[in-house]
Amino acid sequence: MAVTPPSRPGAADKRPVRSLSGLLPFLRPYRGRIALALLFLVLAALATLAFPIALKSLIDQGLVASDPGERVMALRGHFFALFGVGAALGVFSAARFYMVTWLGERVTADLRNAVYAHVVRQSPQFFETTQTGEVISRLTTDTTLVQTVVGSSLSMGLRNTVMGIGALGMLIVTNPYVMSQVLGTLVLVVLPSVWLGRRVRKLSRASQDRVADSSAIAAEVLNAIPVVQSYVQEAREARRFDAATENAFDTARRRTRVRSFLVAFIITATFGALLWGLYQGTQAVLDGKTSAGHLAQTVVFVTILIGSVAVLSEVYGDLLRAAGATERLMELLAARSPIESPSDPKPLPPTRGGSSLALRGVTFRYPSRPQHAALDGFELEVRPGETVALVGPSGAGKTTVFQLLLRYYDADVGRIELDGVPVREAALEALRGRIGIVPQDSVIFSADALENIRYGRPGASDADVMAAAQAAFAHDFISALPEGYKTFLGERGVRLSGGQRQRISIARAILKNPPLLLLDEATSALDAESERAVQAALEAAMKDRTTLVIAHRLATVQSADRIVVMEAGRIVETGTHAQLAAAGGLYARLAALQFDQPASAVTA
């Protein structure tokens, strides 16, 4: 079970950090809250910047009075001013934290919902090249990174940007000559930081891709646990997952190493430049060119600036990681399904007694197998209320007919019509709403029996659900479950037998009550007694509707109005069971094999 990672566009690695602009549509609805968050952020930053100014006043003015009483009163006033600055900082910081955290949670939820809603509308062609584990990784790991940025890092970055610019501005105003030298030095810090930042971002994207690879392996193996265990491959799969996680760790280690060097370089270089400025300030105090309070103010502003640069270097790394995560999410949102409803769909006419359908000269190749025609010049017309069976060897194209009718794919050549309307011109919801399908591999959701059957018609009452279960001969075994219809059936219906899962799937289709019913080996998992019962239920359900049946067990389709024999994507024979058995063709040979008698005796 080798896993081939889905293709990933290499150009994404070369895009600048502005890939975060993909989040703008998700931020735009919350402009008011963003404005409030920015207001509180600026106020908190200004309160921080007010602290060194208040400290300077405390030192230069609170200690100058000669009278001890006046000095105490002056100090008290300045300390109250400092407390007011601290209280304002606490209130504004708390308000900023709440607003920004709310935005992070809200935007992440909206983004996750948008990506999921978009993915579930993709055609099967999308999942031929994209693993579900990859999609799950993007929905979880990548959105968590985005949440970290929107709900924390971005706020910290903006706050420290305001504080850093403010502190730098105050230092320039108070020490213009010294700070002009410092700024010249800081320019030399920027260029290496940009180069290292690009390297971090590329490694961040690669790290997230490797995590997605391990998620894909886990999703594949956990969905096939019985097969893995039956072949005693647990150790092999554990080693394969271990290799994937080690690969992810190695990439993350390289990313962390470069990012650590980036942080160390920025902080060390900035710290050195600012210490040079501070040294110049102390020399000015010793020379009597400035006051002690001014020096204290400069020290605090330098501390704020150094702290801001340190935080910004960390935030920059988070932004680079989030940029890679956003790119991966935007790739999913940018994926366009080749199967979409037309902008001006034709309405399907009302039906009585089932739908009519026609496939005219249909040729189709699966996108993943373009060299092989699954259907080749296929022609079929089915009248309303008619039951038509599709039989033939595996790979003949029977299931492909179903997939084209449901418009999971579009035919390369030819025309498919339902009730006289080309399926390409009908709304997808209306088209698929007219079709009920019972697949060979019954799908059971992680819910109770009642909700699994109600999936066929979500608005159905409990009585309607039970009536459908009775028609599918599922009522008795469901009633015998520990909590009856409210019994949780487990993930993928692991608490049920294959035949029980198939009967629930049949009940779901019966509840939908569509004019066109597609049965893909609908009784393949049933024992002989259950098959007879369900066959009778299916025959009752097929009344007053059109039915297409795929069957390998020919005994289940002998009563069909017409049997269509397929081979290599073409129709090779058509007729009733008796006609085809007497013709001595492919159907007669298949029937002879199944009924264990000579082909000439099949009609007896």
Side-chain angles (χ1 to χ4, degrees):
M1 299 199 313
V3 173
T4 302
S7 60
R8 301 181 178 97
D13 290 340
K14 299 179 182 179
R15 297 178 201 163
V17 181
R18 67 171 178 268
S19 59
L20 285 170
S21 61
L23 297 176
L24 289 178
F26 298 93
L27 292 168
R28 201 168 288 125
Y30 309 108
R31 290 186 293 267
R33 287 182 176 268
I34 292 173
L36 279 175
L38 289 174
L39 174 62
F40 292 132
L41 182 149
V42 170
L43 291 174
L46 291 177
T48 303
L49 292 173
F51 179 80
I53 298 174
L55 181 64
K56 178 180 181 296
S57 298
L58 170 66
I59 295 174
D60 286 347
Q61 300 175 20
L63 300 175
V64 296
S66 57
D67 182 80
E70 292 180 5
R71 188 180 302 154
V72 169
M73 293 302 295
L75 285 173
R76 183 177 300 172
H78 286 292
F79 274 112
F80 274 122
L82 283 172
F83 175 77
V85 170
L89 176 61
V91 171
F92 295 143
S93 296
R96 173 195 60 82
F97 174 79
Y98 173 79
M99 297 300 297
V100 170
T101 303
W102 185 94
L103 281 169
E105 296 287 351
R106 181 69 268 167
V107 168
T108 303
D110 291 347
L111 178 60
R112 189 177 288 129
N113 291 339
V115 172
Y116 183 78
H118 186 73
V119 168
V120 296
R121 287 180 171 83
Q122 297 301 304
S123 69
Q125 180 178 341
F126 174 84
F127 295 98
E128 288 184 16
T129 56
T130 304
Q131 296 170 309
T132 55
E134 166 83 6
V135 176
I136 292 170
S137 174
R138 298 191 188 194
L139 283 170
T140 53
T141 306
D142 291 353
T143 53
T144 300
L145 284 174
V146 172
Q147 178 182 351
T148 300
V149 168
V150 177
S152 176
S153 298
L154 194 58
S155 167
M156 291 172 59
L158 290 173
R159 177 172 175 268
N160 281 277
T161 298
V162 173
M163 288 168 50
I165 292 174
L168 186 61
M170 292 300 297
L171 287 170
I172 292 173
V173 169
T174 56
N175 295 284
Y177 173 72
V178 172
M179 288 312 298
S180 63
Q181 299 179 53
V182 172
L183 284 176
T185 308
L186 287 177
V187 170
L188 301 177
V189 179
V190 174
L191 297 178
S193 299
V194 171
W195 181 82
L196 287 170
R198 290 178 178 173
R199 177 66 176 162
V200 169
R201 183 165 168 272
K202 180 182 286 189
L203 289 171
S204 295
R205 172 65 192 258
S207 176
Q208 288 154 223
D209 286 342
R210 299 293 77 76
V211 171
D213 291 343
S214 61
S215 297
I217 293 175
E220 179 186 44
V221 172
L222 293 178
N223 282 327
I225 281 296
V227 176
V228 173
Q229 294 180 346
S230 68
Y231 283 91
V232 199
Q233 293 297 312
E234 298 94 331
R236 174 178 176 271
E237 293 301 341
R239 288 194 301 271
R240 194 158 68 98
F241 184 80
D242 181 76
T245 54
E246 283 300 314
N247 194 9
F249 169 76
D250 184 63
T251 308
R253 178 183 55 79
R254 286 186 284 125
R255 181 202 75 223
T256 304
R257 184 173 58 199
V258 176
R259 183 175 172 183
S260 299
F261 183 78
L262 173 64
V263 172
F265 173 76
I266 291 176
I267 293 177
T268 303
T270 305
F271 198 86
L274 293 175
L275 279 178
W276 166 252
L278 187 58
Y279 171 76
Q280 298 281 14
T282 56
Q283 293 301 311
V285 173
L286 294 176
D287 295 340
K289 297 177 181 179
T290 188
S291 67
H294 191 185
L295 178 61
Q297 175 183 265
T298 301
V299 169
V300 177
F301 276 132
V302 167
T303 304
I304 292 174
L305 184 54
I306 292 176
S308 297
V309 171
V311 172
L312 286 173
S313 65
E314 287 286 335
V315 169
Y316 184 52
D318 288 339
L319 289 177
L320 293 172
R321 293 190 68 197
T326 304
E327 284 177 1
R328 287 159 46 90
L329 291 166
M330 293 305 113
E331 284 173 10
L332 284 182
L333 286 175
R336 288 291 170 260
S337 174
I339 308 299
E340 294 181 341
S341 289
S343 56
D344 186 20
K346 284 187 177 180
L348 294 172
T351 60
R352 291 186 62 185
S355 293
S356 66
L357 60 94
L359 292 88
R360 307 182 191 280
V362 172
T363 297
F364 173 72
R365 292 175 172 82
Y366 284 99
S368 58
R369 305 188 298 276
Q371 72 282 357
H372 172 71
L375 293 179
D376 187 7
F378 190 84
E379 295 271 353
L380 177 66
E381 288 195 32
V382 181
R383 299 181 299 275
E386 189 177 13
T387 297
V388 175
L390 304 178
V391 302
S394 297
K398 304 182 294 296
T399 300
T400 301
V401 173
F402 282 17
Q403 293 186 324
L404 293 178
L405 286 173
L406 286 159
R407 208 181 162 214
Y408 292 156
Y409 301 89
D410 279 331
D412 300 326
V413 179
R415 183 182 177 95
I416 303 171
E417 297 178 354
L418 179 68
D419 294 320
V421 177
V423 294
R424 289 175 183 258
E425 300 177 16
L428 282 176
E429 185 176 352
L431 171 70
R432 294 170 181 171
R434 289 208 169 184
I435 302 174
I437 183 168
V438 179
Q440 181 174 4
D441 298 323
S442 299
V443 175
I444 303 298
F445 298 97
S446 297
D448 58 37
L450 196 70
E451 292 306 316
N452 262 285
I453 298 174
R454 187 178 275 131
Y455 201 84
R457 182 155 53 92
S461 65
D462 290 358
D464 290 338
V465 172
M466 293 179 185
Q470 289 174 333
F473 289 81
H475 177 75
D476 289 345
F477 83 79
I478 293 175
S479 299
L481 294 173
E483 298 176 52
Y485 280 84
K486 290 293 185 179
T487 301
F488 177 69
L489 301 182
E491 186 177 5
R492 293 179 293 113
V494 294
R495 300 176 68 179
L496 300 177
S497 68
Q500 289 172 334
R501 289 197 296 270
Q502 206 147 24
R503 275 180 276 177
I504 285 184
S505 184
I506 293 169
R508 186 185 296 155
I510 291 174
L511 181 65
K512 185 176 182 180
N513 194 28
L516 174 60
L517 187 61
L518 307 180
L519 306 176
D520 189 355
E521 292 286 344
T523 61
S524 62
L526 305 179
D527 55 64
E529 182 178 358
S530 297
E531 181 181 17
R532 284 193 294 270
V534 174
Q535 192 68 35
L538 286 174
E539 290 176 1
M542 289 187 289
K543 289 181 180 178
D544 299 324
R545 64 170 50 90
T546 305
T547 307
L548 280 184
V549 183
I550 292 176
H552 286 104
R553 292 159 67 175
L554 303 183
T556 63
V557 297
Q558 292 187 47
S559 60
D561 298 324
R562 195 161 30 123
I563 298 175
V564 174
V565 186
M566 298 177 61
E567 187 175 28
R570 294 176 175 270
I571 296 177
V572 294
E573 293 179 295
T574 303
T576 63
H577 168 74
Q579 292 169 342
L580 294 172
L586 175 60
Y587 181 87
R589 294 196 300 273
L590 294 173
L593 290 172
Q594 291 193 21
F595 299 142
D596 195 23
Q597 54 185 312
S600 58
V602 170
T603 56

